[in-house]
Amino acid sequence: MKKTLGQRFNFDSLRIRLLVLVLLAIVPPVILTVYGAWKERQQAIRIAEDNLQQMTQLAATSEARMIEGARQLLSVLSTLPELQGNAKTCNQFLANVLQRNQGYTNFGLIQLNGDVSCSAIPLQNKINLGSRTYFKQTVEQRTFTAGDYVFGRTSRKHTINLTYPVLDNKGNVRSVIFAALDLSYLDRFVSDIALPSGAVLITADSRGTIIARRPDPEKWIGTRTPPSLFDVMIKVGFGTSELTDSDGIRRLHAFAPVGTSDVSNFKVSIGIPMDDIVAPANHLQMMELTTLAVIALLALVAAWFVGDVIILRRVKALVRTADQVGAGNLHARTGIRYGKEEISQLARAFDGMVASLRQHEAEREESKAILFTEKERAQVTLESIADAVITTDKLGNIEYMNPVAEELTGWSKAEAEGLPSARVFKIVNGFTREPVANPVEMVLEQQSNVELSKDTVLLSRNGTEYAVEDSAAPIRNREGEIIGVVLVFHDVSDSRQLAIQLSHQAAHDPLTGLFNRREFERRLELAIDTLARQSRQHALLYLDLDQFKIVNDTCGHSAGDELLRQITALLQPLVRDSDTLARLGGDEFGAFLENCSPESAVRIAEKLRQTICDFHFVWQDKIFPIGVSIGLVNFSNNALSLPDLLSAADTACYIAKDTGRNRVHIYRTEDHQLATREGEVKWNERIQKAFENDAFRLQSQKIVNLRPNRKNHLFDELCLYLADDNGKLIPTSAFMPAAERYHFMPTIDRWIIRTAFAQHAATLDAMDTSGEIGQHLLMLKISGNSLDDEHFLEFVHEQFAEFGVPYNAICFSIAETTAITNLTRALRFIEALKPRGCSFALGDFGSGMSSFAYLKHLHVDYLKIDGGYIKGMAHDPVDYAKVEAIQRISSVMGIDTIAQNVDDANTLARLQKVGVGYAQGSFVGKAVSFYPPAESSATV
């Protein structure tokens, strides 16, 4: 019975194991030898690549030099007049050129239709080359082109055609000269390059046809390169690659283009057999492996005889020491003297392992202390930051909360630990009050970061609500698995409240708190658009206070403002929650009654009228009865546009005033005719007529410097008037509400700017001619409607460019209430023009309720203090104190002040005492005509 391998050799025997160990010890040198040989082969390949690339580049350069020489020859020939003679002269000339230039098979001239008109070799038949790619490229790009391989029709040789454009005096292509290059000459041109044994040199055109080859050029020229080689030549362009050639030999090929793309599209390749490259490395590997085999045999013999004596005794010492270490004695050592043999090295490694175990145990204790310190540092950091932080486990249950999170949620860390995050972090939409998806649950579901939607509100456990913004992100382990979620959020109640406040102020009147005209018209236009889809009954009320001007003129602006606030308090409870009550400007109010029947609209209007009529305004020791005229328009379809609807309400209000005041008039279609018959010309019609008849006039009034230590300059403000049929000038205040209501202000502002720029440009030119050039600042008022016009800023830039007015010669004035209600557009207007040099003034400053809150954001140069304060400061200490406060704050902010309505010396003296920078009024300079010229006899 035959013995098995396990019976012949007892693998449990230490001797056998030592022999196996010796064999295994030989394996690494063998691997290193093989690896070293592989590295040698790679190094040989790299050296071969470098040499190949140099040879390939040399061959490509040689061929490119030849083609470049052909280009230079064609370039010279294209300029010679002999080509433009008759065919006989041209043929003879090209024949001489062919005779003198070796390597060419033909020269010829191609007309633009593709016909060959003359040739160095006589043509038997007419030849047309118009379809050839190289001919089209030369004509289109007007440059030298190297064509692909062709077999010459006339010369019956392998050639490539080279073309060059012949240009006329204007630079246009008149014809194309070509040269047919003999490929056998091209092949001989690179024959001087010494190729290694077995190497192959191939030059191919853009289609893969071989145009030069070494060795055996006659056999290969005109044939196609192997597809695998051609594909790599096209893709690599310049570099190396291993390929199996058509003869079955694996070669390392190097590639290079023949010149740049404007020289040719040819590619050169040189290939060397891989076996020739790696042969020295393979031979060295075989010798080293043979040496290792001999050494292994000797090692096995030595291990077989001396293993028991040298190894077993030491192995037992290792086993004994291992048992001691296993029992926990890390101080045990083998006691074996260290040498260079394997057992000694094993003993040294074993003793080193035990020493390392002792060291690792000490380091583990130290790492525990470091980790504890880092944990404490992270804990302190999380508890110190301003954001709230909550972490959960992979189920969404809370593990940690920092103090800010405890404060915002109302839960302590101890109470919240282990609870679901949705129970502690309760969030709803601030407007709909609908619950918002819990971000922790969203992270666990989506496996990615999430952020809260806008308008999210956190419901604290103690009942407090916080506007919050947050983000949640997954916590992953080393394998990328989610092991928890971190939720970071912070209180944004203040910033969200500020945004709400800004949005509110953009749509509300700052004095009364009611909706402003823009918001009122927006809602009204939205309702009109809705009527096109769904018929409903609405009503529009236009209210005009009857006695407001008396209060305002008698007691000043402060009394007028208080009257408007009290009227607002009376009107608000009388309209429904669905209705829109707005202040349209001055003492005019509007009410939009949605889904209101005509009977209900009359009842509401009468209630508003009666309430105001029963009210008496008290100011100091004066009592004023107040009345109101109300125009009522009922509408249930979109037949009337927004301007038509406002005009109808204005007409009805006018009739209510005209028929006795303090009454309600319901609009009828014939009311416009009635108003016309009674002689009232609507302002919109008058304004339109003013444009047609050029009835607008500009008056300029000086703004005088009150500080003698400051350099003086000309400073004027322009005011707009409308000339009536008798030549009397009507001030802007009379038709401004109507102009705003019927959207004329952007057109009026454009007329003012264009007219003022034209006149101001002429004035500046005259000053320059007379040698009296100096700064002359012109102040122009801008309305809120123009700020709302998206194209107005572009128009202003165009006027500066057209008339050449310097930017620093213009100061734009914006009313304070206009700037506040159009804050975003006002800022955009200022930021666009101020860097270019324009100045800006804030007009009627002090009439609003929040002037100082917005002043630091507007970046204006001048404050025009409200004229009501200026008139009253001579006898009213409150007005004096207001002017003084405005001046003081403006001085701190670096803003100059301008006092309006300075009509007497006493007021001027007080302004100088306060420190106001500029004054404007009848006392310091009366208004004069700016356009038309000053000799106009119109009076204000």
Side-chain angles (χ1 to χ4, degrees):
M1 188 175 182
K2 293 184 179 181
K3 294 184 179 181
T4 64
L5 183 64
Q7 292 172 334
R8 290 176 179 272
F9 298 96
N10 182 9
F11 286 97
D12 292 334
S13 169
L14 182 59
R15 178 182 293 173
I16 298 300
R17 294 186 178 183
L18 287 174
L19 293 177
V20 173
L21 182 62
V22 170
L23 290 175
L24 292 176
I26 298 298
V27 172
V30 172
I31 294 175
L32 289 175
T33 300
V34 174
Y35 176 74
W38 178 80
K39 293 288 287 184
E40 289 291 336
R41 285 193 291 273
Q42 295 300 313
Q43 179 66 20
I45 291 173
R46 283 195 293 271
I47 294 173
E49 285 178 341
D50 293 340
N51 293 335
L52 271 177
Q53 287 180 345
Q54 292 178 6
M55 286 191 293
T56 305
Q57 186 62 41
L58 177 61
T61 303
S62 299
E63 294 179 0
R65 189 180 300 115
M66 179 180 183
I67 296 175
E68 178 63 27
R71 176 164 69 173
Q72 294 177 3
L73 174 60
L74 291 179
S75 174
V76 173
L77 293 177
S78 69
T79 61
L80 298 178
E82 286 81 353
L83 295 180
Q84 312 307 322
N86 54 45
K88 181 178 181 181
T89 302
C90 179
N91 291 340
Q92 182 63 40
F93 171 73
L94 292 180
N96 293 335
V97 172
L98 178 63
Q99 186 177 6
R100 290 195 301 270
N101 289 274
Q102 183 182 2
Y104 297 93
T105 63
N106 196 10
F107 289 91
L109 187 68
I110 310 171
Q111 300 303 319
L112 292 182
N113 60 1
D115 292 340
V116 178
S117 60
C118 67
S119 171
I121 298 177
L123 302 178
Q124 301 300 326
N125 298 308
K126 182 178 180 180
I127 297 177
N128 186 283
L129 303 179
S131 61
R132 301 301 174 89
T133 303
Y134 58 84
F135 171 72
K136 294 179 180 179
Q137 183 175 345
T138 300
V139 173
E140 292 174 358
Q141 300 181 5
R142 300 194 302 178
T143 184
F144 171 81
T145 303
D148 295 326
Y149 163 84
V150 293
F151 187 75
R153 301 180 186 179
T154 305
S155 63
R156 312 304 295 172
K157 294 182 179 181
H158 302 286
T159 64
I160 56 173
N161 283 340
L162 310 174
T163 57
Y164 196 90
V166 178
L167 306 178
D168 59 18
N169 294 333
K170 297 181 179 180
N172 298 320
V173 177
R174 177 163 52 193
S175 56
V176 175
I177 187 171
F178 76 90
L181 180 65
D182 188 350
L183 291 182
S184 61
Y185 183 76
L186 176 65
D187 185 79
R188 290 196 303 274
F189 198 77
V190 296
S191 61
D192 294 337
I193 300 175
L195 298 178
S197 176
V200 174
L201 183 149
I202 295 175
T203 303
D205 64 13
S206 62
R207 296 180 301 185
T209 304
I210 298 176
I211 60 176
R213 190 184 191 277
R214 286 290 173 181
D216 302 326
E218 297 82 2
K219 177 182 177 181
W220 294 97
I221 291 178
T223 64
R224 304 284 290 185
T225 59
S228 58
L229 175 60
F230 182 65
D231 289 344
V232 177
M233 290 174 73
I234 295 300
K235 294 178 181 178
V236 173
F238 184 85
T240 59
S241 179
E242 288 186 31
L243 295 170
T244 301
D245 288 338
S246 57
D247 55 4
I249 300 176
R250 187 76 175 174
R251 287 185 175 89
L252 176 65
H253 283 268
F255 309 96
V258 178
T260 56
S261 59
D262 61 340
V263 174
S264 75
N265 292 322
F266 303 154
K267 305 288 184 179
V268 174
S269 169
I270 298 178
I272 300 177
M274 291 297 298
D275 292 342
D276 295 348
I277 297 174
V278 300
N282 290 338
H283 178 71
L284 179 62
Q285 178 183 0
M286 186 58 65
M287 293 183 60
E288 291 178 346
L289 289 176
T290 302
T291 303
L292 283 175
V294 173
I295 294 173
L297 181 61
L298 295 175
L300 287 173
V301 171
W304 182 270
F305 289 106
V306 301
D308 292 343
V309 177
I310 297 176
I311 296 176
L312 288 178
R313 177 170 52 84
R314 299 185 178 187
V315 168
K316 291 179 181 179
L318 286 171
V319 172
R320 183 174 59 253
T321 306
D323 291 338
Q324 293 176 358
V325 173
N329 181 15
L330 297 180
H331 295 280
R333 297 292 184 273
T334 61
I336 298 175
R337 187 177 63 182
Y338 301 145
K340 296 184 178 180
E341 74 281 358
E342 289 82 354
I343 296 298
S344 296
Q345 294 177 1
L346 180 61
R348 177 184 297 170
F350 190 88
D351 291 343
M353 178 190 68
V354 176
S356 296
L357 286 175
R358 286 190 62 195
Q359 182 178 357
H360 290 164
E361 183 66 21
E363 290 176 352
R364 190 170 71 88
E365 293 297 326
E366 183 179 356
S367 297
K368 288 171 62 178
I370 294 174
L371 286 175
F372 179 80
T373 302
E374 292 297 327
K375 179 182 178 182
E376 286 295 309
R377 182 179 290 111
Q379 193 89 359
V380 172
T381 301
L382 289 175
E383 293 181 356
S384 302
I385 63 176
D387 285 351
V389 180
I390 297 177
T391 60
T392 73
D393 58 19
K394 63 181 180 180
L395 299 177
N397 298 324
I398 293 178
E399 292 183 338
Y400 170 78
M401 296 173 63
N402 71 348
V404 179
E406 291 179 325
E407 178 183 354
L408 294 181
T409 61
W411 290 78
S412 67
K413 176 183 175 184
E415 293 173 325
E417 191 170 357
L419 295 178
S421 61
R423 182 177 176 185
V424 176
F425 188 70
K426 293 183 177 180
I427 51 177
V428 297
N429 184 281
F431 294 103
T432 65
R433 308 304 293 181
E434 293 290 331
V436 176
N438 185 273
V440 174
E441 297 174 353
M442 293 175 64
V443 168
L444 295 175
E445 178 182 350
Q446 301 176 11
Q447 304 280 301
S448 62
N449 297 2
V450 299
E451 293 185 358
L452 270 186
S453 58
K454 293 182 179 180
D455 306 321
T456 299
V457 172
L458 170 64
L459 304 179
S460 178
R461 187 184 186 187
N462 57 21
T464 306
E465 296 187 0
Y466 300 96
V468 294
E469 292 180 353
D470 82 344
S471 62
I475 303 174
R476 302 180 186 272
N477 58 17
R478 292 182 178 179
E479 290 73 29
E481 299 173 345
I482 293 180
I483 59 174
V485 177
V486 57
L487 173 64
V488 181
F489 57 98
H490 57 279
D491 182 10
V492 294
S493 300
D494 292 341
S495 60
R496 190 171 296 176
Q497 184 61 35
L498 178 59
I500 293 173
Q501 180 182 355
L502 290 175
S503 176
H504 176 272
Q505 291 175 344
H508 289 75
D509 175 51
L511 178 63
T512 62
L514 297 176
F515 290 113
N516 56 23
R517 172 180 288 274
R518 184 172 61 180
E519 178 65 16
F520 182 76
E521 291 183 356
R522 186 190 69 81
R523 294 190 174 199
L524 193 57
E525 189 162 23
L526 180 62
I528 294 173
D529 294 340
T530 305
L531 289 175
R533 301 184 299 271
Q534 183 179 9
S535 178
R536 290 185 178 181
Q537 183 64 52
H538 302 311
L540 172 62
L541 301 182
Y542 195 93
L543 295 80
D544 192 340
L545 299 181
D546 291 333
Q547 306 299 325
F548 177 77
K549 190 173 188 307
I550 297 175
V551 175
N552 212 38
D553 294 344
T554 305
C555 302
H557 289 291
S558 298
D561 292 347
E562 180 59 28
L563 171 58
L564 293 176
R565 284 191 286 267
Q566 293 186 19
I567 290 295
T568 299
L570 291 174
L571 297 180
Q572 282 182 312
L574 303 180
V575 296
R576 304 168 303 173
D577 292 339
S578 60
D579 297 334
T580 300
L581 180 64
R583 181 189 175 202
L584 304 182
D587 60 346
E588 298 171 349
F589 293 84
F592 172 41
L593 311 179
E594 292 191 64
N595 298 320
C596 184
S597 65
E599 295 78 11
S600 298
V602 172
R603 188 165 52 254
I604 294 174
E606 281 294 340
K607 186 186 296 184
L608 295 174
R609 184 199 64 77
Q610 189 61 46
T611 300
I612 295 176
C613 183
D614 295 341
F615 170 72
H616 288 73
F617 177 65
V618 179
W619 183 260
Q620 295 176 352
D621 58 346
K622 299 180 180 67
I623 300 177
F624 299 91
I626 304 298
V628 63
S629 299
I630 302 177
L632 168 60
V633 181
N634 294 298
F635 62 102
S636 58
N637 54 50
N638 61 344
L640 295 177
S641 64
L642 176 62
D644 294 338
L645 196 58
L646 292 173
S647 177
D650 185 39
T651 299
C653 183
Y654 162 75
I655 295 176
K657 278 183 173 293
D658 192 60
T659 55
R661 299 179 179 266
N662 195 27
R663 62 188 61 210
V664 176
H665 180 81
I666 304 174
Y667 175 76
R668 298 170 298 176
T669 306
E670 60 270 20
D671 283 349
H672 275 293
Q673 289 78 10
L674 176 62
T676 302
R677 285 194 303 269
E678 293 179 355
E680 175 63 24
V681 179
K682 293 303 177 182
W683 274 117
N684 58 340
E685 298 173 356
R686 298 183 69 180
I687 294 173
Q688 289 177 351
K689 187 176 179 181
F691 279 115
E692 295 173 0
N693 299 332
D694 193 19
F696 287 114
R697 300 290 183 267
L698 288 177
Q699 295 274 325
S700 67
Q701 189 172 29
K702 291 188 179 299
I703 300 176
V704 180
N705 178 22
L706 300 182
R707 298 180 181 178
N709 58 344
R710 177 179 297 181
K711 183 178 179 181
N712 200 3
H713 61 273
L714 297 177
F715 197 176
D716 297 299
E717 180 180 14
L718 295 188
C719 298
L720 180 68
Y721 293 85
L722 191 153
D724 62 13
D725 295 338
N726 299 320
K728 183 178 179 180
L729 297 184
I730 303 172
T732 312
S733 58
F735 58 86
M736 178 69 74
E740 291 179 343
R741 184 181 307 119
Y742 301 119
H743 306 286
F744 283 114
M745 284 312 301
T747 305
I748 293 175
D749 284 348
R750 288 171 183 248
W751 181 89
I752 293 174
I753 289 177
R754 187 166 183 82
T755 303
F757 275 35
Q759 183 70 12
H760 200 42
T763 302
L764 293 177
D765 289 343
M767 294 173 63
D768 190 13
T769 303
S770 63
E772 299 177 358
I773 188 65
Q775 186 178 6
H776 186 182
L777 194 58
L778 200 64
M779 183 180 292
L780 306 177
K781 294 179 181 178
I782 301 298
S783 68
N785 289 2
S786 292
L787 292 178
D788 289 335
D789 184 352
E790 296 182 356
H791 304 290
F792 183 71
L793 181 58
E794 180 182 354
F795 168 79
V796 172
H797 283 301
E798 291 174 354
Q799 303 314 300
F800 274 113
E802 178 177 352
F803 294 105
V805 175
Y807 280 90
N808 61 4
I810 300 298
C811 175
F812 291 106
S813 174
I814 304 174
E816 178 197 10
T817 53
T818 299
I820 292 175
T821 55
N822 299 272
L823 184 59
T824 302
R825 294 185 182 274
L827 284 173
R828 185 173 70 90
F829 188 74
I830 294 173
E831 291 171 356
L833 293 174
K834 190 173 179 62
R836 294 176 178 260
C838 287
S839 305
F840 284 89
L842 200 60
D844 299 326
F845 187 78
S847 60
M849 297 299 293
S850 305
S851 303
F852 294 118
Y854 292 93
L855 185 56
K856 60 183 179 181
H857 299 293
L858 288 173
H859 307 296
V860 296
D861 303 279
Y862 303 97
L863 291 183
K864 297 183 66 180
I865 304 173
D866 184 65
Y869 298 149
I870 304 301
K871 285 184 176 181
M873 67 180 296
H875 53 79
D876 188 341
V878 175
D879 287 343
Y880 185 92
K882 289 180 180 179
V883 174
E884 189 176 27
I886 293 172
Q887 169 58 32
R888 187 173 303 166
I889 295 177
S890 300
S891 177
V892 172
M893 300 180 70
I895 301 175
D896 282 328
T897 51
I898 302 173
Q900 304 179 92
N901 299 342
V902 181
D903 298 329
D904 56 71
N906 188 18
T907 302
L908 182 63
R910 289 175 177 267
L911 290 172
Q912 290 175 320
K913 181 179 179 181
V914 169
V916 172
Y918 295 89
Q920 178 185 12
S922 60
F923 183 76
V924 295
K926 294 183 178 181
V928 296
S929 177
F930 181 80
Y931 179 83
E935 58 266 25
S936 173
S937 60
T939 58
V940 180

